[in-house]
Amino acid sequence: MSTTTTTTITTSDAEGGTTTKTVTSTEAIVDTEAAYEPMVPPIPSGPALLPDWIALCTEKPMEPLIEIFDPHQHFFTFGKASFGDQIIPNPAPAVAFMSGRPALECTFGSRNSVMHPKHTHADAAKFESGEEVKFISYLPEDLLADMAGNNVTGTLYQEAFHLLDMAAMGEGGNPTMAPLGEVRAIAKYREQHKGKICQVMNAAADLEHGAAIEPYLIELSKFDFVRGVRCSIPGFEGDVPGMPSKVLPEVLSVVKGSGWNTYDDVDFRAGFALLSKYNLTFDAWLYHKQIPCLIRLAKAFPDTGICLNHCGSPIIPNAGGSCVTRKQVQSRDEVFAEWKVSIAELAKCPNVVVKVGGLPMPISGTDWCCRPVPPTAAEVAQRMGPWYLYVIEQFGPDRCIFESNFPMDRASLSYTCLWNAYKIMTEGMPLADRKKLFGETAKKFYRV
């Protein structure tokens, strides 16, 4: 059962005027289990291609001598990736992600809808109709171009459950070994770009397999640049692994195990208990209502280093049309208040650090990806400042790490704009604290 609603969306244009458009959406009635089709976000105004849109940002790096270590960046390649004489096929995830296109666009932005920067909204529709579409990926050369002019001395590659080992996924294979394909790919990228990027890496690990994950961890230990693992579980109460969210179908859900509190599962914790044996840290991506689950995990394993990604990804409805959600979603002020309580409680766990960033993604309430031009660093600092500075206040610079989260955050702003915003937010802080936030804390945590 559903209702049809009409929403008027107003966005600013480059000259300071406004553009108004009307969008019709279908929304499920809150008190029913009936499935419904989430609204496909509107095509954003301005350039259709993300690189063309990003190019409209002409800011130069502020304080260009500040040394940056970027602890969170991804690569994506669709089709086949070539590493010299080795061809690695990219498996089904690209196709599977396309089936959840509305959720991806709401989560990562319409121009960035399948998590790579040069794909258009129109191409997604062609793909779904069966028409052949050429996908272009986000690769080291794209990251290096984005980084240009900023004093980035190194990066940590964060797994994206990508370039999986298809032999492990096939009949008779061991699916827990599949992420080794991505690790091998990053090893090749490291050879091609010596000393510039990917000094260290966090690999994917499906810890919900419990003790059965140990052979995979043994294989990871053979790669001297792997520092930790990530097992992401963003989702909502009632979500089922492998299915769109029943609570908010417009938002990405990748819960595992028993559901949204995966980190409480006995099997997951059996796998997690092995990390210290192999000197591995743990990165966690989840949504803000799941932070209590991470607090319980941190308290249960006080000797294992844990890094919360993206400040816990608060889910906030926005006015730009890129994240249209059900009526029961909390307001920005309500989310902020609830999130602050969880962050303060998590800060009491001395083994936890936080990657300060990730909130430019549309799921956290920005409408920048729908605008005809990107935001300025000053605007980003003003919008993100209360959230980021609260995390720094609670955890301190010794446990906070600025991140780019590119190319995911690229849907909303340029690389230079992002790091300029961090510099604006911290311009009154002691130099020693700023050095920690821009790289020293990350290097210490990930043993760079």
Side-chain angles (χ1 to χ4, degrees):
M1 186 174 180
S2 63
T3 59
T4 300
T5 59
T6 301
T7 303
T8 300
I9 299 170
T10 303
T11 56
S12 301
D13 61 26
E15 288 73 36
T18 59
T19 300
T20 301
K21 64 176 71 175
T22 299
V23 177
T24 300
S25 62
T26 301
E27 181 183 67
I29 296 175
V30 174
D31 60 356
T32 180
E33 290 296 322
Y36 75 99
E37 289 293 328
M39 181 189 123
V40 176
I43 298 174
S45 56
L49 292 177
L50 185 54
D52 295 339
W53 184 75
I54 288 291
L56 298 177
C57 178
T58 58
E59 291 188 26
K60 303 298 182 184
M62 301 169 59
E63 301 180 87
L65 296 182
I66 290 182
E67 184 176 315
I68 296 169
F69 181 85
D70 186 348
H72 198 108
Q73 51 86 191
H74 307 283
F75 297 132
F76 292 96
T77 183
F78 292 80
K80 292 184 178 180
S82 176
F83 305 98
D85 59 355
Q86 182 183 18
I87 301 292
I88 301 178
N90 184 44
V95 177
F97 274 127
M98 287 301 300
S99 66
R101 180 166 62 92
L104 286 172
E105 293 191 16
C106 289
T107 304
F108 302 119
S110 293
R111 292 184 181 89
N112 213 23
S113 61
V114 282
M115 302 185 293
H116 60 96
K118 301 169 186 174
H119 169 65
T120 68
H121 186 105
D123 283 340
K126 292 179 182 178
F127 185 96
E128 290 178 343
S129 69
E131 187 174 340
E132 183 177 355
V133 175
K134 180 180 180 181
F135 293 107
I136 306 176
S137 305
Y138 191 81
L139 297 171
E141 53 267 29
D142 300 304
L143 176 65
L144 290 167
D146 283 337
M147 287 166 33
N150 296 278
N151 189 18
V152 181
T153 59
T155 73
L156 176 144
Y157 178 81
Q158 185 71 295
E159 65 82 23
F161 208 70
H162 191 61
L163 289 171
L164 304 180
D165 184 332
M166 293 307 292
M169 297 290 287
E171 185 176 353
N174 180 355
T176 64
M177 294 290 187
L180 287 175
E182 186 174 33
V183 179
R184 297 186 191 108
I186 298 306
K188 292 292 183 179
Y189 286 144
R190 282 166 47 84
E191 291 178 10
Q192 295 170 358
H193 303 276
K194 292 184 183 297
K196 295 181 180 180
I197 54 174
C198 303
Q199 279 80 353
V200 289
M201 172 186 182
N202 284 332
D206 286 330
L207 298 180
E208 70 271 18
H209 290 285
I213 199 70
E214 186 161 19
Y216 170 70
L217 299 181
I218 292 172
E219 290 300 310
L220 279 187
S221 69
K222 298 176 183 179
F223 296 88
D224 62 4
F225 59 91
V226 175
R227 292 293 183 268
V229 301
R230 182 169 77 154
C231 183
S232 300
I233 62 165
F236 306 92
E237 185 173 10
D239 286 358
V240 177
M243 299 292 290
S245 174
K246 291 183 178 180
V247 180
L248 295 176
E250 298 89 353
V251 177
L252 186 69
S253 173
V254 288
V255 299
K256 298 178 173 68
S258 64
W260 80 313
N261 280 338
T262 307
Y263 296 164
D264 287 332
D265 291 356
V266 172
D267 287 341
F268 175 88
R269 290 194 172 194
F272 188 95
L274 294 168
L275 297 183
S276 60
K277 179 178 179 179
Y278 296 97
N279 196 28
L280 295 169
T281 58
F282 179 74
D283 267 46
W285 180 38
L286 36 64
Y287 294 149
H288 74 279
K289 285 184 175 292
Q290 297 169 292
I291 294 176
C293 178
L294 182 63
I295 294 171
R296 295 190 291 272
L297 181 70
K299 290 180 177 179
F301 296 91
D303 296 326
T304 299
I306 295 174
C307 180
L308 172 65
N309 291 182
H310 316 326
C311 299
S313 290
I315 302 298
I316 306 170
N318 68 54
S322 63
C323 185
V324 181
T325 54
R326 292 194 185 194
K327 293 179 180 179
Q328 77 265 33
V329 173
Q330 298 161 291
S331 70
R332 177 182 295 275
D333 289 344
E334 290 170 335
V335 171
F336 189 47
E338 181 180 59
W339 170 86
K340 286 173 69 176
V341 171
S342 294
I343 288 294
E345 187 64 26
L346 182 63
K348 296 175 184 178
C349 302
N351 56 325
V352 177
V353 303
V354 180
K355 285 181 181 173
V356 180
L359 301 196
M361 290 190 290
I363 53 170
S364 291
T366 64
D367 62 355
W368 297 324
C369 69
C370 294
R371 297 185 184 182
V373 295
T376 65
E379 182 180 1
V380 174
Q382 181 180 28
R383 172 73 73 87
M384 301 288 103
W387 301 80
Y388 293 169
L389 294 177
Y390 182 78
V391 175
I392 295 169
E393 173 190 315
Q394 294 299 310
F395 282 82
D398 290 308
R399 295 165 60 203
C400 288
I401 305 168
F402 282 142
E403 60 167 331
S404 76
N405 191 34
F406 260 49
M408 319 318 290
D409 283 17
R410 196 175 194 255
S412 295
L413 75 180
S414 74
Y415 196 91
T416 293
C417 173
L418 176 64
W419 290 95
N420 281 352
Y422 291 148
K423 293 169 184 175
I424 292 171
M425 290 179 213
T426 61
E427 58 186 356
M429 293 185 183
L431 179 59
D433 288 348
R434 297 182 88 198
K435 286 183 176 180
K436 292 174 182 177
L437 293 167
F438 282 89
E440 289 182 356
T441 298
K443 289 181 177 180
K444 181 179 179 180
F445 186 77
Y446 292 116
R447 310 186 308 280
V448 180

